[in-house]
Amino acid sequence: MPQLEVDGAALTYDDEGPRDGGAAPLVFIHGWTANRHRWDHQMAHFAGGRRVIRLDLRGHGESTGAGVRTIAELAQDVTALLDHLEVDRFVPVGHSMGGMISQTLALAHPERVERMVLVDSIGRMTYSRGRGLLMAVSTLVPFKLFVAANIQRAFAPGYPRERIREYVRASTGTPREVVMTLYGAMRAFDVLDRVGEITAPTLIVHGYHDIQLPVRQMLRMAKAYPDAEVRIIDAGHELPVERPAELTATLDRFLSPAPAA
């Protein structure tokens, strides 16, 4: 897989699909402790007709690099990759922390963001009582237990346990320093009072059973957007893998041009 050196990190990425289709490239950005393969279904579907790009964020998956203290620094990594690939206008599709990165990109580079998709994400981190308690004791429990508790809570009731264990194993492979530093970055993230500046058409997709970032928090953000479409899907926080085909179809409808009147 190709890699790009950016500020002490080697970012692994995929760049697929036709370059001459005319549509702005899709840029898929995964969430905390995840990797670019969260988007396997969406990549396979869209790469046949348009350019699609995804990356492992620094310290995740097959990328190297230490954790950073702000979401803006992760957004700078994505910008560096897009500059390297000579991509001007694009459509960020961000899951969870990836949605925070997407919003940061839209605020920093409004001229480059054609549309935007936020999946199970919010504009200001506010924890539920249960999540807040879990985070408060995070430094007192073994690291792998802390990560496992977060990942297990991310899926809707009934999701296969063996699949959840696979994602737990993958997430606990992310270095502790990266996990905990980015946890601090997410805690500090707050663009809720600025999302009204984002004029790019935005699709907000959220899992009904998401207890990591509850629907009510998403709706508080959504109503501040000047041009947002909201879709609620019967899933938890891990929509890209819990309901991959349904999410892909939802993206397809949003990205397809409206028929002529």
Side-chain angles (χ1 to χ4, degrees), residues 56-231:
D56 285 337
L57 297 169
R58 59 172 57 230
H60 292 70
E62 296 178 274
S63 291
T64 65
V68 292
R69 300 194 177 279
T70 66
I71 297 298
E73 291 171 274
L74 295 177
Q76 289 167 6
D77 285 347
V78 177
T79 302
L81 174 62
L82 296 177
D83 289 346
H84 171 72
L85 297 176
E86 299 182 342
V87 171
D88 183 17
R89 289 180 64 78
F90 62 96
V91 178
V93 183
H95 173 240
S96 192
M97 185 178 74
M100 299 177 188
I101 296 169
S102 298
Q103 292 175 89
T104 302
L105 289 167
L107 287 166
H109 306 285
E111 75 288 352
R112 298 182 68 171
V113 174
E114 182 176 283
R115 289 176 169 247
M116 181 169 66
V117 180
L118 306 177
V119 182
D120 289 314
S121 193
I122 54 177
R124 173 185 295 160
M125 182 62 84
T126 305
Y127 292 129
S128 65
R129 181 178 299 178
R131 187 93 188 274
L133 178 61
L134 178 63
M135 294 304 185
V137 302
S138 63
T139 59
L140 305 177
V141 299
F143 172 68
K144 289 188 176 182
L145 178 61
F146 165 70
V147 175
N150 273 280
I151 301 304
Q152 288 168 359
R153 297 175 79 252
F155 292 86
Y159 194 75
R161 290 182 178 274
E162 61 273 16
R163 294 295 310 280
I164 295 176
R165 285 193 287 267
E166 291 175 11
Y167 292 117
V168 169
R169 284 194 293 270
S171 292
T172 53
T174 308
R176 179 188 181 106
E177 181 271 338
V178 172
V179 170
M180 301 311 294
T181 304
L182 289 180
Y183 157 59
M186 289 191 296
R187 286 191 67 180
F189 178 75
D190 185 356
V191 297
L192 189 59
D193 293 335
R194 294 193 61 203
V195 296
E197 302 171 25
I198 299 176
T199 58
T202 299
L203 172 65
I204 300 173
V205 193
H206 218 84
Y208 177 80
H209 302 283
D210 188 345
I211 61 174
Q212 305 282 61
L213 305 177
V215 169
R216 66 181 181 276
Q217 293 183 23
M218 176 276 292
L219 292 174
R220 182 182 180 191
M221 172 187 73
K223 70 180 183 180
Y225 269 85
D227 187 3
E229 173 184 338
V230 176
R231 291 289 181 268

